[in-house]
Amino acid sequence: MDTVGTTSLSELRDWVDNISQITDPDKIYWCNGSEDEYAELIRQMLADGTLSELNQETYPNCYLHRSDPSDVARVEHLTFVCTTVQDDAGPNNNWMAPDEAHSKMDALFEGCMRGRTMYVIPYCMGPIESPYARLGVEITDSLYVVANMKLMTRMGDAALRRIETEGRFVKGLHSTGELDPERRFIMHFPEELSIQSYGSGYGGNALLGKKCHALRIASHQARDEGWLAEHMLIVGIESPEGETHYIACAFPSACGKTNLAMLVPPDSMPGWKIWTLGDDIAWLHLDSEGQLRAINPESGYFGVVPGTNENTNKNAYDMVTHDAIFTNVATTDDNEPWWEGKTSGTPALDWQGRPVEAANGKAAHPNSRFTVAATNNPSYSPLTEHPEGVPISAIVFGGRRKELAPLVYQAKSWAHGVLVGAGVASETTAASVGDVGVVRRDPMAMKPFCGYNFADYWSHWLSFPERSEALPDIFHVNWFRQDAEGRFLWPGFGENLRVLKWIIDRCERRADGSETAIGFLPMAEDIDLSGLDISQADFDALTTVDVDAWTNEMSAIGEYIDSYGDRVPPALKRELSTVLASLSTSNGKNAA
Ligand code: GTP
Ligand code: SPV
Ligand code: MN
């Protein structure tokens, strides 16, 4: 066997040998993570057609990848958590017995790398020196996966050295297979610390460090070890006075995390500065003082392209003009990338490479993505590399709701905040295969990503006050309220900083809020609306609690929680009863 690279760790060596016997590649290549290696990967992908060059004058080192049209999003219906006991995976996951899943996957992987190279990617999730970082190795036959893992994780020699010292790592096996949706599975074995993914080359299905490891496997470990692995951005907000607060926000897929993580302050807020720590995943630990601290396990972004422009998100717009991989965008006559929401250029070829006139539907796929290293981001925070992470002042949940959910409200306590998180619902998006725009329950934005039973997960969240008296305040936001004509009531994007300011001021006990049954809401005078073109009627709609609708909502949340059966913590149900009782005696805003 033609092999480049090896390891001194026998467990890892044996596993790689074993996988190569099953998959039968021509060659084995251990990735070192160097820039030369990345350049060589790109060269090979240009040669074999996996990538094509975009306009190198205006988009230097930017490349386009077109997925198989059947393989453009996560596949939740083909994603499984394989625990020994089915109830441990919970109603929130698809489950398969580990033995059955293994025999299914063994059959798929048999000989699947014949004639190809098997890449071994050692990676570190989290700063390489961080006590909170975790290791993994992904084996794949996809060059696209290797290149994306290079941008998204700390991969290569440094990670391998730490794996060899620690001896513990998550084993991820991936093959693109035939890209046949009938032969596609994403299997997780949290008890074995392993992941097996076959038949998809797309982001969350194939870049195993991301959702598979850093959320599904990590959340399972985190429950046992007393920490949290969450679908959250991490952002630092520095005031003109130089005070910086860090907040962590959980919004479902394609609901605004990347945008909020790198927002550009509006002109009306001079002197404010945003620092991006992470745009998708946060690992949260209590330190010895009981302070919740966050690290971002990733080191790059796999972000939604449509909607990005110099007005909505100038940082993202600038950051993808160099050293980026685009997946499933359209292209212009000048061979620049193009997408819906881009304010310049016109598309010539759609995301499948067809002339746009002949194509029906969007020119760029609604789930088209960019991959960039985090250091491309103009608002990148150097504290991203801090081994201890950053202290978190507030946790913010959110969803995409045309109706009902106010612009912002604050939970009354940690336990109430857990209920607020458990009650998150959001309209589905193109990030996952299936219907778009249907409201579904997505507790803590973790429905597709929690690697164990949600009932146990809520208990775990509720256990934090036993270990800390200094927990962050919890909030809920909704940037997506619309009127009957489909117009957004709130301008969103940079203007969201006005809401973040209220959140921080509430944490610092220096802003007012009005107590309602569902939590504290700002009054018009509590949020600085200067320079904003928003009518009083719209602001009122954004900050009013519709008691009847909320009574229905809380009942629906109650039914949803009850569907998890006996394992649901009684404390969560008590919180729900409290809110329902309060709603029954209230008349909206100002009612306790
Ligand atoms: P994942 O990467 O799938 O986890 O998504 P995400 O949560 O990072 O979402 P992202 O920031 O990429 O935003 C998704 C879509 O929502 C994009 O098309 C954005 O333009 C749009 N969006 C983001 N923030 C806002 C906002 O404040 N208001 C409105 N109206 N749209 C927004
Ligand atoms: C998401 O769907 O939440 C994403 C993209 O961040 S993926 O990497 O596919 O999970
Ligand atoms: Mn995400």
Side-chain angles (χ1 to χ4, degrees):
M1 174 78 59
D2 181 2
T3 300
V4 179
T6 186
T7 176
S8 59
L9 184 68
S10 58
E11 187 192 341
L12 174 53
R13 219 170 41 233
D14 293 349
W15 175 60
V16 171
D17 281 351
N18 179 252
I19 298 302
S20 79
Q21 271 154 31
I22 295 167
T23 58
D24 199 21
D26 277 7
K27 194 176 161 188
I28 302 177
Y29 179 83
W30 291 68
C31 302
N32 59 37
S34 69
E35 295 310 315
D36 285 352
E37 178 181 86
Y38 183 74
E40 175 58 21
L41 294 169
I42 298 288
R43 199 194 59 71
Q44 285 182 36
M45 284 189 282
L46 290 172
D48 74 11
T50 305
L51 294 184
S52 60
E53 261 182 5
L54 289 164
N55 186 322
Q56 293 297 299
E57 269 159 42
T58 47
Y59 284 81
N61 299 317
C62 288
Y63 305 96
L64 170 64
H65 173 71
R66 291 196 183 111
S67 304
D68 184 275
S70 79
D71 188 35
V72 293
R74 284 183 294 100
V75 282
E76 294 176 12
H77 59 298
L78 303 175
T79 300
F80 289 74
V81 171
C82 308
T83 44
T84 315
V85 176
Q86 179 167 5
D87 247 6
D88 291 345
N92 44 308
N93 282 301
N94 299 313
W95 176 85
M96 204 181 285
D99 286 352
E100 189 190 341
H102 276 303
S103 37
K104 199 183 259 301
M105 298 310 278
D106 288 350
L108 292 173
F109 281 111
E110 180 75 46
C112 72
M113 297 189 190
R114 222 159 268 158
R116 326 180 50 181
T117 300
M118 180 172 112
Y119 298 90
V120 182
I121 313 169
Y123 63 84
C124 179
M125 301 310 286
I128 203 99
E129 304 290 339
S130 172
Y132 305 133
R134 294 298 167 104
L135 291 309
V137 177
E138 175 166 358
I139 294 179
T140 181
D141 55 9
S142 160
L143 280 163
Y144 172 81
V145 166
V146 182
N148 276 272
M149 286 291 283
K150 158 74 178 159
L151 297 176
M152 300 288 300
T153 71
R154 296 151 179 98
M155 73 91 129
D157 287 344
L160 182 59
R161 279 196 298 277
R162 189 163 161 182
I163 291 169
E164 287 167 344
T165 320
E166 261 175 43
R168 201 162 90 121
F169 60 97
V170 170
K171 298 184 175 81
L173 172 57
H174 167 257
S175 172
T176 315
E178 307 81 8
L179 294 175
D180 174 356
E182 300 295 318
R183 287 163 57 82
R184 181 175 292 163
F185 288 103
I186 326 294
M187 299 284 190
H188 302 74
F189 304 91
E191 294 153 1
E192 300 167 19
L193 295 188
S194 82
I195 306 157
Q196 300 204 339
S197 165
Y198 189 90
S200 167
Y202 174 79
N205 302 329
L207 311 175
L208 302 186
K210 195 171 176 62
K211 297 312 195 333
C212 301
H213 178 166
L215 287 178
R216 298 194 191 94
I217 300 287
S219 62
H220 193 104
Q221 288 180 294
R223 187 257 319 251
D224 295 340
E225 298 169 9
W227 53 284
L228 293 164
E230 298 297 328
H231 192 201
M232 291 177 176
L233 68 94
I234 311 163
V235 65
I237 301 143
E238 185 178 332
S239 72
E241 293 76 37
E243 180 185 289
T244 305
H245 284 268
Y246 298 93
I247 67 174
C249 311
F251 311 151
S253 301
C255 291
K257 289 182 301 302
T258 301
N259 278 269
L260 196 71
M262 56 189 68
L263 77 68
V264 177
D267 291 342
S268 60
M269 295 180 75
W272 288 80
K273 173 96 189 77
I274 291 294
W275 298 99
T276 313
L277 281 295
D279 83 324
D280 200 48
I281 301 179
W283 285 357
L284 304 166
H285 289 80
L286 288 174
D287 70 13
S288 53
E289 253 80 81
Q291 170 68 54
L292 198 67
R293 306 189 71 90
I295 63 162
N296 174 11
E298 304 188 276
S299 64
Y301 315 127
F302 183 63
V304 175
V305 179
T308 307
N309 62 48
E310 57 278 68
N311 305 315
T312 55
N313 187 348
K314 185 164 190 320
N315 282 332
Y317 190 69
D318 290 346
M319 121 189 134
V320 300
T321 55
H322 62 99
D323 303 285
I325 298 175
F326 286 87
T327 300
N328 299 333
V329 293
T331 49
T332 66
D333 275 335
D334 297 337
N335 201 25
E336 292 187 347
W338 192 91
W339 54 85
E340 275 68 21
K342 195 177 188 193
T343 50
S344 60
T346 39
L349 301 179
D350 81 346
W351 63 277
Q352 297 185 62
R354 304 172 300 192
V356 275
E357 313 81 65
N360 48 7
K362 309 276 190 199
H365 190 277
N367 191 38
S368 50
R369 298 263 167 177
F370 57 75
T371 318
V372 292
T375 46
N376 263 33
N377 176 3
S379 62
Y380 172 78
S381 166
L383 286 180
T384 307
E385 287 299 326
H386 194 297
E388 304 291 336
V390 293
I392 295 298
S393 301
I395 286 175
V396 183
F397 295 114
R400 185 184 280 268
R401 299 291 298 264
K402 285 188 187 64
E403 295 170 340
L404 189 76
L407 178 63
V408 58
Y409 61 99
Q410 179 184 17
K412 297 178 183 181
S413 64
W414 178 269
H416 177 221
V418 175
L419 174 67
V420 169
V424 168
S426 194
E427 291 150 27
T428 50
T429 64
S432 172
V433 170
D435 293 338
V436 169
V438 182
V439 176
R440 71 157 179 185
R441 296 273 152 224
D442 194 348
M444 282 80 171
M446 283 286 277
K447 170 68 186 66
F449 308 120
C450 183
Y452 64 106
N453 191 321
F454 259 153
D456 299 342
Y457 173 76
W458 297 324
S459 297
H460 182 45
W461 265 85
L462 287 168
S463 75
F464 275 71
E466 293 159 21
R467 286 179 291 134
S468 170
E469 289 175 2
L471 292 172
D473 290 340
I474 299 181
F475 297 80
H476 187 284
V477 298
N478 177 21
W479 314 137
F480 299 96
R481 279 288 286 274
Q482 293 177 17
D483 66 11
E485 279 75 51
R487 177 185 61 94
F488 286 111
L489 297 185
W490 177 251
F493 300 102
E495 306 294 351
N496 294 334
L497 182 55
R498 298 172 191 259
V499 175
L500 302 185
K501 178 175 183 302
W502 181 74
I503 287 175
I504 290 165
D505 287 343
R506 288 292 296 171
C507 294
E508 289 291 322
R509 310 287 179 259
R510 62 189 177 209
D512 281 337
S514 156
E515 187 167 1
T516 75
I518 66 165
F520 295 96
L521 273 75
M523 311 280 281
E525 60 273 21
D526 299 327
I527 291 198
D528 183 1
L529 299 175
S530 56
L532 198 61
D533 186 18
I534 185 169
S535 69
Q536 188 64 42
D538 283 353
F539 190 79
D540 287 348
L542 284 164
T543 55
T544 301
V545 177
D546 178 336
V547 171
D548 289 342
W550 268 101
T551 304
N552 291 337
E553 177 75 356
M554 292 315 295
S555 304
I557 292 171
E559 277 170 34
Y560 176 74
I561 288 173
D562 282 344
S563 74
Y564 285 80
D566 295 346
R567 287 165 90 131
V568 174
L572 193 63
K573 296 195 191 190
R574 279 200 300 276
E575 289 298 327
L576 187 96
S577 307
T578 307
V579 177
L580 273 170
S582 173
L583 280 165
S584 73
T585 59
S586 73
N587 57 358
K589 207 161 175 171
N590 297 323

